[in-house]
């Protein structure tokens, strides 16, 4: 029993480690998809879920000849009725369409419920449906609520670590790199990896001041300087950051070959950091696949939900910032309020420029600058100047954009 428990624990830890490694390089929109596919694959391998059920959940289904809707035609679209009848091909949904017609009013109430995934399913069928059955039901009738239900399904099956992601740690990611493994950052609006690399470099004694760190923004005419720095640091040791490589897609294969050559006998302190924007369309390729496979990939895209944005914002500050202010209690409370405000504003990006004069991606720099202003005002005033802070942050620092 102890051996089995030990093996199960190792398997769970290895699975989570591999998932975290993969998730770090995924776009925010794809993380739930990958987590769901992993969960379903594990359940199928363990014999807890049938492969046909997974196929229906992933691909959906629609009956060619659904037949008469009866009283359901008063409120149910024909396209959904065809999907309901397709569910009847699965064992636990046998006769499902007939039972719906018998309880038409109850099913109409469930269909119109805002959070259908949490509402009580009408009829006796609710007592025999499993978690994945409920997902298939939502897939057929309320696909708009499927994402929320999938997140709960993965959390209940695998654990909350597969849905709730900790803020990105540059130091932890750096531990996985070496002189032969570059780190590739995917650039997003409002996300700048430069401070992460520079901050970690200073901790390890590598900076622009001691000429062991060089940051090059790629563009026309920057190929030769970039190649020279890579060759130099490969021999002497140092970090080079090549930004906006998507602008030099024709030169990147040459960079890839250069990294392969110099890494053979490179200095142990040699590191190469690359950044590029994703292509405008998923079918387009602006970076060689072989280069991407050889890199530690980081896609630290800003999340859209308030909780993740709040955790991400608060993680930018250490406890030292409170002690550096002569009003540490007020500083902590005001900074948390500022992080909450930043999380709300950041989450609005999914609505585009609606409500603003133009689209602007508020980033960590805006938050950090506001925190510095907050500390200065608290130090310079005997009491918290609420009116001044509200005007500066709301009307100038954020509203001014």
């Amino acid at each position: 029993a102890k051996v089995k428990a030990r093996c199960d624990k190792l398997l769970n830890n290895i699975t989570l480690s591999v998932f975290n490694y993969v998730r770090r390089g995924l776009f925010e929109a794809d993380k739930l998809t990958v987590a769901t596919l992993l969960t379903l694959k594990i359940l199928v391998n363990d014999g807890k879920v049938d492969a046909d059920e997974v196929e229906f959940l992933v691909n959906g289904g629609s009956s060619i000849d659904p037949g008469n809707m009866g009283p359901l035609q008063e409120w149910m679209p024909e396209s959904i009725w065809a999907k309901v009848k397709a569910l009847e091909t699965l064992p636990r949904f046998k006769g499902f369409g007939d039972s719906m017609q018998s309880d038409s009013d109850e099913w109409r109430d469930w269909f119109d419920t805002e959070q259908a995934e949490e509402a009580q399913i009408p009829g006796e069928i609710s007592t025999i449906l499993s978690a994945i059955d409920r997902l298939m039901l939502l897939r057929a009738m309320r696909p708009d609520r499927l994402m929320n239900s999938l997140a709960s399904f993965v959390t209940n099956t695998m654990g909350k670590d597969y849905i709730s992601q900790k803020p990105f740690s540059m130091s932890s990611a750096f531990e996985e790199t070496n002189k032969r493994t570059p780190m590739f950052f995917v650039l997003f609006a409002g996300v700048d990896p430069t401070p992460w690399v520079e901050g970690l470099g200073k901790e390890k004694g590598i900076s622009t001041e001691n000429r062991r760190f060089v940051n090059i923004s790629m563009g026309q005419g920057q190929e030769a300087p970039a190649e020279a720095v890579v060759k130099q640091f490969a021999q002497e040791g140092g970090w080079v950051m090549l930004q906006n490589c998507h602008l030099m897609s024709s030169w990147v294969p040459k960079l890839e070959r250069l990294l392969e050559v110099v890494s053979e006998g490179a200095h142990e302190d040699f590191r190469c950091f690359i950044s590029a924007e994703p292509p405008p369309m998923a079918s387009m390729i602006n970076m060689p696949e072989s280069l991407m496979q050889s890199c530690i990939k980081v896609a630290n895209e800003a999340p859209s939900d308030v909780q993740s944005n709040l955790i991400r914002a608060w993680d930018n500050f250490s406890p030292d910032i409170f002690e550096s202010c002569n009003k540490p209690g007020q500083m902590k409370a005001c900074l948390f309020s500022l992080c909450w405000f930043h999380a709300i504003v950041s989450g609005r990006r999914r609505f585009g420029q609606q409500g603003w004069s133009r689209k602007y991606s508020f980033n960590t720099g805006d938050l950090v600058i506001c925190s510095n202003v907050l500390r200065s005002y608290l130090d310079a005033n005997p009491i918290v100047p609420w009116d001044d802070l509200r005007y500066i942050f709301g009307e100038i620092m954020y509203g001014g954009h």
Side-chain angles (χ1 to χ4, degrees):
K2 291 183 178 179
V3 174
K4 185 181 183 304
R6 175 65 174 164
C7 290
D8 290 342
K9 189 172 184 179
L10 286 172
L11 185 61
N12 292 335
N13 288 337
I14 293 171
T15 303
L16 181 58
S17 298
V18 173
F19 176 74
N20 284 331
Y21 182 87
V22 173
R23 175 168 60 178
R24 187 173 54 204
L26 294 175
F27 292 169
E28 198 68 28
D30 299 325
K31 291 178 180 178
L32 179 58
T33 302
V34 174
T36 302
L37 291 175
L38 174 65
T39 303
L40 294 174
K41 188 67 175 178
I42 291 174
L43 291 176
V44 170
N45 289 342
D46 293 346
K48 297 179 180 179
V49 170
D50 190 70
D52 292 338
E53 297 174 341
V54 172
E55 183 178 358
F56 188 96
L57 177 61
V58 173
N59 299 322
S62 182
S63 176
I64 300 176
D65 184 18
N68 184 26
M69 296 175 64
L72 299 176
Q73 64 183 354
E74 297 179 5
W75 56 270
M76 180 183 288
E78 293 183 4
S79 59
I80 292 183
W81 175 243
K83 295 175 182 178
V84 168
K85 295 299 287 184
L87 280 172
E88 292 186 341
T89 59
L90 301 171
R92 285 187 291 274
F93 284 97
K94 190 174 182 180
F96 179 49
D98 294 336
S99 67
M100 283 192 70
Q101 293 186 22
S102 302
D103 301 323
S104 176
D105 293 338
E106 289 81 356
W107 277 104
R108 182 174 187 171
D109 293 339
W110 179 86
F111 184 77
D112 292 336
T113 301
E114 181 179 356
Q115 296 179 327
E117 72 278 10
E118 298 180 2
Q120 175 67 32
I121 296 177
E124 296 179 359
I125 195 172
S126 62
T127 60
I128 62 173
L129 292 185
S130 64
I132 195 167
D133 292 332
R134 293 171 180 270
L135 290 176
M136 289 188 288
L137 180 61
L138 288 171
R139 174 82 159 82
M141 297 187 64
R142 288 293 303 272
D144 58 306
R145 302 303 302 176
L146 188 59
M147 297 292 284
N148 297 63
S149 190
L150 284 175
S152 300
F153 174 72
V154 173
T155 300
N156 296 333
T157 306
M158 303 292 290
K160 64 179 182 180
D161 290 336
Y162 286 82
I163 296 299
S164 301
Q165 184 177 5
K166 296 180 181 179
F168 171 69
S169 172
M170 182 64 196
S171 57
S172 299
F174 180 79
E175 294 299 324
E176 300 177 25
T177 66
N178 55 53
K179 61 183 181 181
R180 296 185 181 88
T181 307
M183 183 174 286
F184 185 93
F185 295 98
V186 183
L187 296 177
F188 299 98
V191 177
D192 182 13
T194 307
W196 310 335
V197 179
E198 290 179 341
L200 183 64
K202 290 180 180 179
E203 293 178 11
K204 297 185 177 295
I206 296 176
S207 63
T208 307
E209 288 75 13
N210 59 23
R211 298 183 179 181
R212 297 190 64 194
F213 176 74
V214 173
N215 184 3
I216 300 177
S217 182
M218 299 306 299
Q220 189 173 2
Q222 294 297 323
E223 302 95 322
E227 293 173 12
V229 171
V230 169
K231 293 177 182 177
Q232 176 189 346
F233 283 174
Q235 293 178 351
E236 302 174 1
W239 294 5
V240 56
M241 187 168 189
L242 307 176
Q243 298 210 59
N244 302 314
C245 285
H246 59 281
L247 302 176
M248 308 290 294
S249 55
S250 60
W251 171 77
V252 171
K254 187 177 180 181
L255 169 65
E256 180 186 11
R257 177 57 185 161
L258 176 62
L259 290 173
E260 290 179 1
V261 173
V262 300
S263 64
E264 291 300 323
H267 193 281
E268 289 298 326
D269 290 337
F270 171 64
R271 294 292 188 277
C272 181
F273 303 92
I274 304 170
S275 70
E277 291 182 2
M281 298 181 65
S283 59
M284 300 174 63
I285 299 176
N286 60 0
M287 291 287 116
E289 183 178 344
S290 53
L291 175 64
M292 299 297 294
Q293 291 175 343
S294 66
C295 292
I296 301 293
K297 293 170 285 295
V298 177
N300 192 26
E301 185 180 2
S304 58
D305 62 292
V306 175
Q307 183 184 34
S308 298
N309 269 313
L310 180 59
I311 295 174
R312 182 190 180 102
W314 187 254
D315 192 61
N316 288 294
F317 305 101
S318 67
D320 298 337
I321 192 172
F322 310 131
E323 302 303 325
S324 63
C325 178
N326 58 22
K327 299 182 182 67
Q330 290 89 330
M331 177 66 186
K332 189 173 185 178
C334 291
L335 184 59
F336 181 82
S337 300
L338 185 60
C339 288
W340 173 261
F341 174 66
H342 180 82
I344 296 293
V345 174
S346 298
R348 291 191 79 265
R349 65 164 50 90
R350 65 180 181 271
F351 302 116
Q353 67 182 47
Q354 182 178 347
W356 307 99
S357 58
R358 66 184 180 90
K359 187 177 181 180
Y360 179 81
S361 297
F362 297 97
N363 55 41
T364 305
D366 298 308
L367 177 62
V368 172
I369 291 172
C370 286
S371 70
N372 294 335
V373 173
L374 172 63
R375 182 173 57 185
S376 299
Y377 265 71
L378 290 179
D379 287 342
N381 291 273
I383 59 174
V384 179
W386 294 111
D387 293 337
D388 293 349
L389 293 176
R390 273 196 294 264
Y391 184 80
I392 291 173
F393 298 153
E395 301 293 337
I396 300 176
M397 306 300 289
Y398 282 83
H401 290 304

